[in-house]
Amino acid sequence: MPLVTAEKADSDRHGKIQQPLLSLDQLPAEIVATICRNLCMHCRLANVVDIPSRLVTEALQDQQALSRLCRTSRLFRDIAQPILFHFHTGIQHSADGDDEVMWKQQQQQENHHHHHHHHQHCESNTLESFLRSLLQRPDLAKHVRALAFFAIRAKTTTTTTTTTTPPHVLPQSTQLLFRQAGERAGFRPLQTYRHVDSRWLQEATIMAVPFLEQLLIYRSSQEGGLHYLRDSPFYLPHLKYLVLPGQEKNPDECCHIQEMQDVLVKAQNLEVLAASDCDCGSSTAIPHRERFRTEPWKTALLNLRQLSLHGLDPDNLAKILCRSPVLEDLEYFCDMDKYTVLQHDHLTPIRDTLRRFCYTSTTWEHAQGSSEDVIELISSFLRWDRTLRGDMNFSDFPKLEILEVEQLLLYGPVFDQGERQFRFATLQDVGPELFMSSLPPSLRILHIGMVLAWPELYRDLMGLMDKLYRFPDLVTVAVDPYEVPPTNQVEELTVKFAEKGITFCVGQTTQIPFSRGMLGVRPGHSDPFGVTGKTGLFYL
C-alpha cells in the first residue's frame, strides 16, 4: 500500500529526484507497535478491568481495529496480535433493565478476538472460543494481562409459555481440549464435557493465563466463591489487582468476601483489592452473614497496599486488616443502615502503615432532606450504640498523609438545633482545638466530605489557620458542603489559606443514586452523568 503518492506526483512535475514509495510493511516495527498500543486500553491505562462501562465500548472498538490490522500484513499481524490479547472483557448486565442494548454490545464484544495461523483467520465469538484460542495458542495466552468477568444474566422474554433450550453441545475436539485444560489446571473432573457452565469457563480461562495481572470477577451469593479454582494446586503469582464489582440495584445478591478467599489465597502478591457489596446483605442471608462474622479471616494479604471495601461490617473489616501488614491505602464505606460505627481499635492493626484513609457512610438515598434532617439521621446512627464512640481520632497515625472523611464521622453526633447552638457558643474557643487534636501531624491533604454543619467547620478551619505549624506538610484543604455556604466565608478561607501556601477547594457531595458516599459509583459502573465516580478524591 503506497504512502507517498502525492509527493511522487509533485516530484515529477518539478523534475526533482523521485522519493521511493513507502508501504505499511516498510514501517519500522517501533512505529507499528506504537500504533497498536494506542489501540489497546490496557496499554493506555494503568488499571483496565474496572473501567466505567461507557469506556468498554471504546475498548471494544479499538480491539476491532486491532483485529483488522492483523489482516493488513504479516508485520502488523505479528505485532498487533499479542496486543489484541492483552485484555478480555465481558459486558455487564444493564442496571436499567434495558437488556437489548447490552446484548447488542455483548455480541459486538464477543466478535473481537482474532488470531491467524498459516494465514487462516479464526474469530473468537464467545468466552468458550476465547478459551479454546488460548489453549490452542499458548504463545498468545502468555500475552493476556487483564480479564473482566461481570455478571451476565440470561435474556428472558415475557411469554405465557416457557421453553427450555437444550444446553449447547461442544464439538468432540473442544471437549477433549477442555478436559485436558481442566486436568492441567488441577480442577476436579466434570461428569461430562459435552457442555460446561460459564463459571467453569471463567475459572479455566484464569488458570490458562500464566501472566495474569488484573482480574475483575463477580459471583452471586447463590454461586458462592470460585469453586473450580479452589481445587487447583497452582497459584496466580502475577496477579496484583483484583476487583469484586458488586451490583448497583441488586447488592444483596453478591457473594460474601469471605467466600472469595478461593482466589485471594492464590494471589499471594496481590497489591490492590477493591470489593463492593461484599456482605451478602439481604434479610434472607442474615444467618449466612452471622456465620461469617464468627469465622476467622484465614488469608494473609502480605503484599496488599490498597484496599477499598463497601458493604462489610467494621468487625469483619478489622479481621482483614489484621492480616494486611503493609496496607497503606484504605477506603471504607460503612453502611449506616446495617452496621455500627467504626471504632479506633478497628484500625489499630494498620495504624503504623496507613498513609491514606477515606471513610464514608452517607448515600444519595440518605441525603434527601435539609441539612438538619440529614444531621439527625447520621447522628442517630452514631449514637445508636452508646457504648461506642461516635467520633474518630487520627492523631496517633504517624504516616497518615491523606485523610478523607465525612464531617460527622470525624466530629461525632450533632444534636438538635437548640443544643447545637448552645454547644457552638460554649465551644467557640475550644472547638478548633478539639478539631486539630483529631488530626495527624503528618497530614498533607485534608478532605472533609458531606459537610452538614458548616458554621462549626468554618470556625475550626479559621482556628486551624493560626496553628498551621502543627501540620508542616499540609498543602491542600478540601470541603464538600451539603448546602451552599456563605460566599464571603468561602472567599475568606481561600485567601487566608493561599497566604499560607495552602490550596483551599470547595467540591460537592455525591448526589448519584446507588453510590457509595464519597467513593462514588462501584468499580466498572458509569454514573448517570458520565463521571467516573472518583473525581473528587485524592490519591497517593
Side-chain angles (χ1 to χ4, degrees):
M1 182 182 297
L3 297 182
V4 196
T5 56
E7 289 79 359
K8 177 180 182 296
D10 187 66
S11 63
D12 289 344
R13 285 195 301 269
H14 296 86
K16 296 179 181 178
I17 298 176
Q18 185 173 324
Q19 297 295 326
L21 297 180
L22 183 64
S23 68
L24 284 176
D25 285 334
Q26 294 173 311
L27 285 175
E30 294 81 4
I31 293 179
V32 176
T34 300
I35 293 172
C36 294
R37 283 194 295 267
N38 281 324
L39 292 172
C40 174
M41 193 70 74
H42 169 267
C43 294
R44 299 204 305 266
L45 300 177
N47 303 311
V48 67
V49 293
D50 55 353
I51 57 175
S53 53
R54 63 186 176 84
L55 288 183
V56 172
T57 300
E58 180 182 338
L60 303 180
Q61 291 171 345
D62 288 345
Q63 288 180 322
Q64 289 174 341
L66 275 175
S67 177
R68 288 191 289 269
L69 282 175
C70 288
R71 299 191 293 271
T72 302
S73 68
R74 181 184 296 273
L75 172 66
F76 271 88
R77 183 194 67 196
D78 293 343
I79 295 176
Q81 195 175 63
I83 296 175
L84 175 63
F85 275 76
H86 279 178
F87 174 41
H88 177 84
T89 181
I91 298 296
Q92 61 182 313
H93 172 64
S94 171
D96 298 327
D98 186 8
D99 288 343
E100 193 62 36
V101 174
M102 300 302 289
W103 275 85
K104 288 180 180 178
Q105 290 179 330
Q106 171 70 9
Q107 187 62 40
Q108 179 188 29
Q109 184 268 336
E110 289 174 343
N111 288 330
H112 76 269
H113 281 294
H114 302 262
H115 67 275
H116 304 256
H117 190 48
H118 300 300
H119 302 282
Q120 300 273 332
H121 168 250
C122 177
E123 181 174 286
S124 299
N125 60 359
T126 61
L127 176 59
E128 171 192 311
S129 52
F130 177 64
L131 173 59
R132 185 167 59 244
S133 297
L134 297 180
L135 299 174
Q136 293 172 338
R137 295 287 305 275
D139 58 314
L140 292 179
K142 293 178 180 179
H143 291 280
V144 179
R145 296 292 182 267
L147 297 171
F149 298 128
F150 284 98
I152 301 178
R153 301 185 179 274
K155 189 175 182 181
T156 59
T157 57
T158 55
T159 57
T160 55
T161 60
T162 59
T163 58
T164 302
T165 303
H168 168 60
V169 177
L170 298 175
Q172 284 289 343
S173 59
T174 302
Q175 293 181 41
L176 177 61
L177 196 64
F178 284 2
R179 182 187 299 274
Q180 293 172 346
E183 291 173 353
R184 286 197 298 269
F187 290 177
R188 65 178 183 272
L190 302 179
Q191 291 184 347
T192 177
Y193 289 86
R194 287 168 53 84
H195 43 78
V196 294
D197 62 35
S198 61
R199 289 175 297 167
W200 189 95
L201 287 171
Q202 291 176 354
E203 295 174 42
T205 300
I206 292 171
M207 298 309 295
V209 176
F211 298 107
L212 183 65
E213 298 171 354
Q214 302 177 34
L215 173 65
L216 179 148
I217 190 162
Y218 173 85
R219 285 291 181 269
S220 70
S221 56
Q222 290 77 25
E223 293 169 332
L226 278 65
H227 301 302
Y228 300 107
L229 188 142
R230 177 191 303 165
D231 300 326
S232 174
F234 302 109
Y235 289 83
L236 303 170
H238 299 278
L239 185 60
K240 302 293 183 67
Y241 192 92
L242 175 63
V243 178
L244 311 176
Q247 289 278 11
E248 282 185 343
K249 291 189 177 181
N250 303 289
D252 298 339
E253 296 183 1
C254 300
C255 180
H256 196 286
I257 192 172
Q258 195 96 341
E259 294 184 283
M260 297 303 288
Q261 293 185 83
D262 300 335
V263 63
L264 290 171
V265 75
K266 303 289 186 184
Q268 297 183 338
N269 295 312
L270 190 69
E271 295 180 356
V272 179
L273 171 61
S276 298
D277 307 310
C278 52
D279 198 16
C280 57
S282 67
S283 58
T284 57
I286 288 178
H288 200 50
R289 195 166 69 232
E290 291 300 322
R291 175 172 68 86
F292 288 128
R293 188 168 291 151
T294 61
E295 291 182 356
W297 179 267
K298 300 177 182 179
T299 305
L301 302 170
L302 299 179
N303 293 287
L304 191 70
R305 298 189 178 277
Q306 183 178 339
L307 175 63
S308 181
L309 282 180
H310 159 228
L312 192 68
D313 67 279
D315 291 337
N316 266 323
L317 168 67
K319 293 178 187 178
I320 298 175
L321 298 183
C322 285
R323 306 302 303 274
S324 308
V326 298
L327 190 69
E328 298 178 336
D329 189 333
L330 174 62
E331 295 179 344
Y332 178 54
F333 176 89
C334 183
D335 192 334
M336 71 171 72
D337 294 330
K338 296 179 184 177
Y339 312 124
T340 55
V341 65
L342 184 72
Q343 297 294 286
H344 184 278
D345 290 347
H346 290 133
L347 301 178
T348 298
I350 59 171
R351 184 184 62 190
D352 294 332
T353 61
L354 192 64
R355 296 175 54 208
R356 174 181 177 264
F357 183 40
C358 180
Y359 178 31
T360 179
S361 69
T362 308
T363 67
W364 174 82
E365 289 77 14
H366 296 133
Q368 294 299 303
S370 67
S371 60
E372 293 301 323
D373 294 333
V374 184
I375 284 174
E376 179 56 33
L377 177 66
I378 301 176
S379 296
S380 298
F381 159 64
L382 294 175
R383 58 176 185 253
W384 179 77
D385 187 340
R386 296 184 181 274
T387 65
L388 303 176
R389 287 189 64 98
D391 58 346
M392 288 292 291
N393 189 301
F394 301 97
S395 59
D396 59 344
F397 286 70
K399 296 182 180 180
L400 188 58
E401 304 173 28
I402 302 176
L403 177 60
E404 307 190 77
V405 58
E406 290 185 17
Q407 183 188 21
L408 267 61
L409 298 181
L410 181 66
Y411 277 56
V414 176
F415 299 90
D416 60 69
Q417 186 66 20
E419 186 170 355
R420 180 183 170 194
Q421 292 175 350
F422 173 76
R423 287 167 58 88
F424 184 83
T426 57
L427 294 177
Q428 186 66 36
D429 296 327
V430 296
E433 179 59 36
L434 293 174
F435 173 70
M436 287 182 283
S437 65
S438 66
L439 304 177
S442 55
L443 195 62
R444 184 168 56 87
I445 296 174
L446 175 62
H447 181 190
I448 307 295
M450 191 56 70
V451 176
L452 297 160
W454 172 261
E456 287 86 342
L457 182 61
Y458 170 73
R459 173 201 66 196
D460 295 343
L461 291 178
M462 291 298 292
L464 171 67
M465 211 97 60
D466 297 329
K467 296 188 178 181
L468 285 173
Y469 62 85
R470 295 169 58 172
F471 308 97
D473 299 322
L474 187 64
V475 296
T476 301
V477 174
V479 297
D480 300 335
Y482 181 69
E483 295 175 344
V484 179
T487 302
N488 63 318
Q489 294 181 355
V490 172
E491 292 176 349
E492 183 181 16
L493 288 169
T494 302
V495 171
K496 287 185 177 293
F497 272 118
E499 291 173 351
K500 305 287 187 178
I502 295 173
T503 300
F504 178 75
C505 46
V506 179
Q508 62 182 20
T509 55
T510 303
Q511 295 294 319
I512 303 170
F514 309 106
S515 67
R516 305 169 300 151
M518 295 175 73
L519 300 186
V521 297
R522 289 157 176 77
H525 295 75
S526 293
D527 68 52
F529 309 108
V531 183
T532 57
K534 285 191 176 182
T535 54
L537 297 183
F538 298 86
Y539 297 95
L540 293 170

